[in-house]
Amino acid sequence: MKKHGTLFLNAYTNSPICCPSRAAMWSGLFTHLTESWNNFKGLESNYTTWMDLMQKHGYHTQKYGKVDYISGHHSLSNRVEAWTRDVDFLLQQEGRPMVNLTGNKMYVRVMEEDWQNTDKAVYWIRKEATNFTRPFVLYLGLNLPHPYPSPSAGENFGSSTFKTSPYWLEKVMYEAIKIPKWIPLSDMHPIDYYSSYTKNCTGHFTKKEIRDIRAFYYAMCAETDAMLDHGELAMEHQQFYKMSMYEGSSHVPLLVMGPNIKAQHRVSNVVSLVDIYPTMLDIAGIPLPHNLSGYSLMPLLSEKADETLSRSPHPTWVLSEFHGCNVNSSTYMLRTDKWKYIAYSNDHSIPPQLFDLFADPDELTNVATTYREVAHSLEKKLRSIIDYPKVSASVHEYNKKQFINWKQSVGQNYSNIIANLRWHQDWLKDPKKYERAIDKWLK
């Protein structure tokens, strides 16, 4: 596929979790502008997306699979964990990462739901779209390579099982798998430690366990590639899943193919998912709204760049932010040429991180105190883009208000319900202690 289109080498999500990430893509706006704070809080159902505008301008439109940008979805555990991230307690929210080999060498369709949605999309193109007299746009969303649910973790389990079949696992060069370097837990950045602990990754893992998890993740990616592509952490930085600004979580694949698109072309410019909105409208020849956070990518990939509707060149930075679960602070990432700057904002003083991605692609060495001028310059730039202390304060108040409303809605069942969410194994060791911590936070 890379031979036939333009590959963006430095594309990023604007929020490394399901709903907020998609909200940015569908709206063309940064996360703080749509207030898509977590997996429960995304766009309203009547929000005008780029696909809505294309339909308005005569396009046939269709969606299949995981869309997930509208408010009101995901589990109760996921919501409460995000709302209570400022509470002074530390609880495991996921089952320990594990692998599950299923089926035999003939078992291809492991994630059957994704395959069925892919089949629907292919059928729609071949049987319906080919008969259209007007242009069409099709969206297909997949779950893979998202880990599978782990029922062994209890009633309200998370998703920490890496599952595949021998068919896909045989496509992975097991011995070539790199074991990521881990720094000692005592040396971890405090936000990273919170993430690793809540994801149940601070225990001892043998090299075989780590290599198996990564092998199964790559096998799940192979199955995804047979349909599309995706990306998540696979035990780098002692984490799996998303919710992090490290490359395995925030860096996403982006490949564009089609008429008048440069072939065998690689773009090193930093871009992000908010750029999808103006790019789709640019492709369709639809005037671009003036309030978008994103920029059309057509000048970077079109053979006829002078014919695009792009209003100005793409900036030399991208912004990503995170306000959800598994991280006990709002997180803001600014990526420029070789630098990645990560700032945190909550009720405590948390030091920023600065990584030189050219010299340290594994992001193991925080050089914020070594390159103080660079860190200061990027902090200044970040604040010119977003007033992140103010945004963090808004998220803090939102979380507290949502939790109070939920607590009142469940009434006398509160203690029983909150004790049996995904964190139940830790919570039930001392339920009164954790209820007191929440009461203190609310006051």
PDB file of all heavy atoms in Angstrom, residues 238-255:
ATOM      1  N   GLN A 238       6.461   0.237  30.570  1.00  0.00           N
ATOM      2  CA  GLN A 238       5.711  -0.557  31.553  1.00  0.00           C
ATOM      3  C   GLN A 238       4.210  -0.249  31.475  1.00  0.00           C
ATOM      4  O   GLN A 238       3.528  -0.108  32.489  1.00  0.00           O
ATOM      5  CB  GLN A 238       6.254  -0.305  32.966  1.00  0.00           C
ATOM      6  CG  GLN A 238       6.231  -1.542  33.825  1.00  0.00           C
ATOM      7  CD  GLN A 238       7.304  -1.543  34.907  1.00  0.00           C
ATOM      8  OE1 GLN A 238       8.342  -0.900  34.764  1.00  0.00           O
ATOM      9  NE2 GLN A 238       7.064  -2.261  35.972  1.00  0.00           N
ATOM     10  N   GLN A 239       3.712  -0.156  30.244  1.00  0.00           N
ATOM     11  CA  GLN A 239       2.298   0.124  30.022  1.00  0.00           C
ATOM     12  C   GLN A 239       1.795  -0.626  28.786  1.00  0.00           C
ATOM     13  O   GLN A 239       2.572  -1.028  27.920  1.00  0.00           O
ATOM     14  CB  GLN A 239       2.051   1.623  29.805  1.00  0.00           C
ATOM     15  CG  GLN A 239       2.332   2.517  30.989  1.00  0.00           C
ATOM     16  CD  GLN A 239       1.895   3.942  30.713  1.00  0.00           C
ATOM     17  OE1 GLN A 239       0.767   4.204  30.291  1.00  0.00           O
ATOM     18  NE2 GLN A 239       2.797   4.885  30.945  1.00  0.00           N
ATOM     19  N   PHE A 240       0.476  -0.792  28.732  1.00  0.00           N
ATOM     20  CA  PHE A 240      -0.187  -1.229  27.503  1.00  0.00           C
ATOM     21  C   PHE A 240      -1.350  -0.285  27.287  1.00  0.00           C
ATOM     22  O   PHE A 240      -1.558   0.656  28.040  1.00  0.00           O
ATOM     23  CB  PHE A 240      -0.662  -2.692  27.612  1.00  0.00           C
ATOM     24  CG  PHE A 240      -1.795  -2.900  28.589  1.00  0.00           C
ATOM     25  CD1 PHE A 240      -3.097  -3.032  28.134  1.00  0.00           C
ATOM     26  CD2 PHE A 240      -1.564  -2.976  29.958  1.00  0.00           C
ATOM     27  CE1 PHE A 240      -4.146  -3.228  29.030  1.00  0.00           C
ATOM     28  CE2 PHE A 240      -2.599  -3.172  30.856  1.00  0.00           C
ATOM     29  CZ  PHE A 240      -3.900  -3.299  30.393  1.00  0.00           C
ATOM     30  N   TYR A 241      -2.104  -0.505  26.196  1.00  0.00           N
ATOM     31  CA  TYR A 241      -3.310   0.314  25.987  1.00  0.00           C
ATOM     32  C   TYR A 241      -2.908   1.693  25.470  1.00  0.00           C
ATOM     33  O   TYR A 241      -1.906   1.851  24.792  1.00  0.00           O
ATOM     34  CB  TYR A 241      -4.062   0.397  27.317  1.00  0.00           C
ATOM     35  CG  TYR A 241      -5.577   0.385  27.250  1.00  0.00           C
ATOM     36  CD1 TYR A 241      -6.271  -0.059  26.151  1.00  0.00           C
ATOM     37  CD2 TYR A 241      -6.318   0.811  28.363  1.00  0.00           C
ATOM     38  CE1 TYR A 241      -7.657  -0.082  26.140  1.00  0.00           C
ATOM     39  CE2 TYR A 241      -7.698   0.795  28.374  1.00  0.00           C
ATOM     40  CZ  TYR A 241      -8.370   0.349  27.249  1.00  0.00           C
ATOM     41  OH  TYR A 241      -9.742   0.335  27.251  1.00  0.00           O
ATOM     42  N   LYS A 242      -3.685   2.743  25.814  1.00  0.00           N
ATOM     43  CA  LYS A 242      -3.450   4.094  25.295  1.00  0.00           C
ATOM     44  C   LYS A 242      -3.195   5.060  26.460  1.00  0.00           C
ATOM     45  O   LYS A 242      -2.416   4.769  27.339  1.00  0.00           O
ATOM     46  CB  LYS A 242      -4.662   4.520  24.463  1.00  0.00           C
ATOM     47  CG  LYS A 242      -4.887   3.614  23.264  1.00  0.00           C
ATOM     48  CD  LYS A 242      -6.202   3.858  22.590  1.00  0.00           C
ATOM     49  CE  LYS A 242      -7.302   3.010  23.178  1.00  0.00           C
ATOM     50  NZ  LYS A 242      -8.523   2.989  22.349  1.00  0.00           N
ATOM     51  N   MET A 243      -3.793   6.241  26.425  1.00  0.00           N
ATOM     52  CA  MET A 243      -3.789   7.244  27.518  1.00  0.00           C
ATOM     53  C   MET A 243      -2.421   7.859  27.815  1.00  0.00           C
ATOM     54  O   MET A 243      -2.233   8.466  28.873  1.00  0.00           O
ATOM     55  CB  MET A 243      -4.314   6.640  28.839  1.00  0.00           C
ATOM     56  CG  MET A 243      -5.698   6.085  28.738  1.00  0.00           C
ATOM     57  SD  MET A 243      -5.608   4.315  28.454  1.00  0.00           S
ATOM     58  CE  MET A 243      -7.277   3.832  28.916  1.00  0.00           C
ATOM     59  N   SER A 244      -1.467   7.732  26.936  1.00  0.00           N
ATOM     60  CA  SER A 244      -0.115   8.226  27.174  1.00  0.00           C
ATOM     61  C   SER A 244       0.358   9.054  25.983  1.00  0.00           C
ATOM     62  O   SER A 244      -0.096   8.856  24.851  1.00  0.00           O
ATOM     63  CB  SER A 244       0.840   7.048  27.388  1.00  0.00           C
ATOM     64  OG  SER A 244       2.179   7.466  27.341  1.00  0.00           O
ATOM     65  N   MET A 245       1.293   9.983  26.239  1.00  0.00           N
ATOM     66  CA  MET A 245       1.865  10.785  25.164  1.00  0.00           C
ATOM     67  C   MET A 245       3.121  10.166  24.574  1.00  0.00           C
ATOM     68  O   MET A 245       3.711  10.723  23.655  1.00  0.00           O
ATOM     69  CB  MET A 245       2.173  12.197  25.672  1.00  0.00           C
ATOM     70  CG  MET A 245       0.947  12.997  26.030  1.00  0.00           C
ATOM     71  SD  MET A 245      -0.217  13.137  24.635  1.00  0.00           S
ATOM     72  CE  MET A 245      -1.632  13.874  25.461  1.00  0.00           C
ATOM     73  N   TYR A 246       3.526   8.994  25.076  1.00  0.00           N
ATOM     74  CA  TYR A 246       4.651   8.296  24.461  1.00  0.00           C
ATOM     75  C   TYR A 246       4.272   7.852  23.042  1.00  0.00           C
ATOM     76  O   TYR A 246       3.086   7.687  22.711  1.00  0.00           O
ATOM     77  CB  TYR A 246       5.057   7.094  25.310  1.00  0.00           C
ATOM     78  CG  TYR A 246       5.757   7.475  26.595  1.00  0.00           C
ATOM     79  CD1 TYR A 246       5.262   7.064  27.829  1.00  0.00           C
ATOM     80  CD2 TYR A 246       6.923   8.232  26.572  1.00  0.00           C
ATOM     81  CE1 TYR A 246       5.907   7.413  29.018  1.00  0.00           C
ATOM     82  CE2 TYR A 246       7.576   8.583  27.748  1.00  0.00           C
ATOM     83  CZ  TYR A 246       7.061   8.179  28.965  1.00  0.00           C
ATOM     84  OH  TYR A 246       7.697   8.526  30.134  1.00  0.00           O
ATOM     85  N   GLU A 247       5.287   7.643  22.218  1.00  0.00           N
ATOM     86  CA  GLU A 247       5.068   7.382  20.798  1.00  0.00           C
ATOM     87  C   GLU A 247       4.128   6.210  20.532  1.00  0.00           C
ATOM     88  O   GLU A 247       3.299   6.266  19.628  1.00  0.00           O
ATOM     89  CB  GLU A 247       6.414   7.126  20.100  1.00  0.00           C
ATOM     90  CG  GLU A 247       7.281   8.353  19.943  1.00  0.00           C
ATOM     91  CD  GLU A 247       6.694   9.360  18.950  1.00  0.00           C
ATOM     92  OE1 GLU A 247       6.843   9.170  17.741  1.00  0.00           O
ATOM     93  OE2 GLU A 247       6.085  10.337  19.425  1.00  0.00           O
ATOM     94  N   GLY A 248       4.263   5.128  21.307  1.00  0.00           N
ATOM     95  CA  GLY A 248       3.420   3.960  21.058  1.00  0.00           C
ATOM     96  C   GLY A 248       1.946   4.232  21.210  1.00  0.00           C
ATOM     97  O   GLY A 248       1.116   3.504  20.663  1.00  0.00           O
ATOM     98  N   SER A 249       1.598   5.299  21.922  1.00  0.00           N
ATOM     99  CA  SER A 249       0.199   5.633  22.186  1.00  0.00           C
ATOM    100  C   SER A 249      -0.293   6.825  21.370  1.00  0.00           C
ATOM    101  O   SER A 249      -1.415   6.820  20.876  1.00  0.00           O
ATOM    102  CB  SER A 249       0.017   5.933  23.679  1.00  0.00           C
ATOM    103  OG  SER A 249      -1.233   6.499  23.956  1.00  0.00           O
ATOM    104  N   SER A 250       0.540   7.853  21.211  1.00  0.00           N
ATOM    105  CA  SER A 250       0.081   9.086  20.560  1.00  0.00           C
ATOM    106  C   SER A 250       0.390   9.151  19.071  1.00  0.00           C
ATOM    107  O   SER A 250      -0.286   9.854  18.313  1.00  0.00           O
ATOM    108  CB  SER A 250       0.707  10.307  21.247  1.00  0.00           C
ATOM    109  OG  SER A 250       2.123  10.302  21.108  1.00  0.00           O
ATOM    110  N   HIS A 251       1.406   8.418  18.634  1.00  0.00           N
ATOM    111  CA  HIS A 251       1.807   8.411  17.226  1.00  0.00           C
ATOM    112  C   HIS A 251       0.919   7.425  16.456  1.00  0.00           C
ATOM    113  O   HIS A 251       0.802   6.271  16.849  1.00  0.00           O
ATOM    114  CB  HIS A 251       3.276   7.995  17.127  1.00  0.00           C
ATOM    115  CG  HIS A 251       3.879   8.156  15.774  1.00  0.00           C
ATOM    116  ND1 HIS A 251       5.167   7.789  15.494  1.00  0.00           N
ATOM    117  CD2 HIS A 251       3.379   8.635  14.617  1.00  0.00           C
ATOM    118  CE1 HIS A 251       5.444   8.033  14.231  1.00  0.00           C
ATOM    119  NE2 HIS A 251       4.359   8.541  13.675  1.00  0.00           N
ATOM    120  N   VAL A 252       0.285   7.876  15.385  1.00  0.00           N
ATOM    121  CA  VAL A 252      -0.671   7.033  14.661  1.00  0.00           C
ATOM    122  C   VAL A 252      -0.288   6.917  13.189  1.00  0.00           C
ATOM    123  O   VAL A 252       0.375   7.789  12.648  1.00  0.00           O
ATOM    124  CB  VAL A 252      -2.115   7.597  14.769  1.00  0.00           C
ATOM    125  CG1 VAL A 252      -2.571   7.618  16.215  1.00  0.00           C
ATOM    126  CG2 VAL A 252      -2.208   8.991  14.151  1.00  0.00           C
ATOM    127  N   PRO A 253      -0.696   5.827  12.530  1.00  0.00           N
ATOM    128  CA  PRO A 253      -0.431   5.690  11.094  1.00  0.00           C
ATOM    129  C   PRO A 253      -1.374   6.558  10.281  1.00  0.00           C
ATOM    130  O   PRO A 253      -2.535   6.746  10.641  1.00  0.00           O
ATOM    131  CB  PRO A 253      -0.694   4.199  10.831  1.00  0.00           C
ATOM    132  CG  PRO A 253      -1.686   3.809  11.876  1.00  0.00           C
ATOM    133  CD  PRO A 253      -1.357   4.636  13.083  1.00  0.00           C
ATOM    134  N   LEU A 254      -0.870   7.114   9.201  1.00  0.00           N
ATOM    135  CA  LEU A 254      -1.704   7.907   8.291  1.00  0.00           C
ATOM    136  C   LEU A 254      -1.183   7.726   6.873  1.00  0.00           C
ATOM    137  O   LEU A 254      -0.043   8.101   6.561  1.00  0.00           O
ATOM    138  CB  LEU A 254      -1.695   9.382   8.679  1.00  0.00           C
ATOM    139  CG  LEU A 254      -2.531  10.319   7.790  1.00  0.00           C
ATOM    140  CD1 LEU A 254      -3.993   9.889   7.759  1.00  0.00           C
ATOM    141  CD2 LEU A 254      -2.412  11.765   8.273  1.00  0.00           C
ATOM    142  N   LEU A 255      -1.984   7.134   6.028  1.00  0.00           N
ATOM    143  CA  LEU A 255      -1.634   6.856   4.637  1.00  0.00           C
ATOM    144  C   LEU A 255      -2.764   7.330   3.743  1.00  0.00           C
ATOM    145  O   LEU A 255      -3.930   7.039   4.000  1.00  0.00           O
ATOM    146  CB  LEU A 255      -1.406   5.349   4.441  1.00  0.00           C
ATOM    147  CG  LEU A 255      -1.140   4.842   3.020  1.00  0.00           C
ATOM    148  CD1 LEU A 255       0.183   5.397   2.497  1.00  0.00           C
ATOM    149  CD2 LEU A 255      -1.119   3.319   3.007  1.00  0.00           C
TER     150      LEU A 255
END
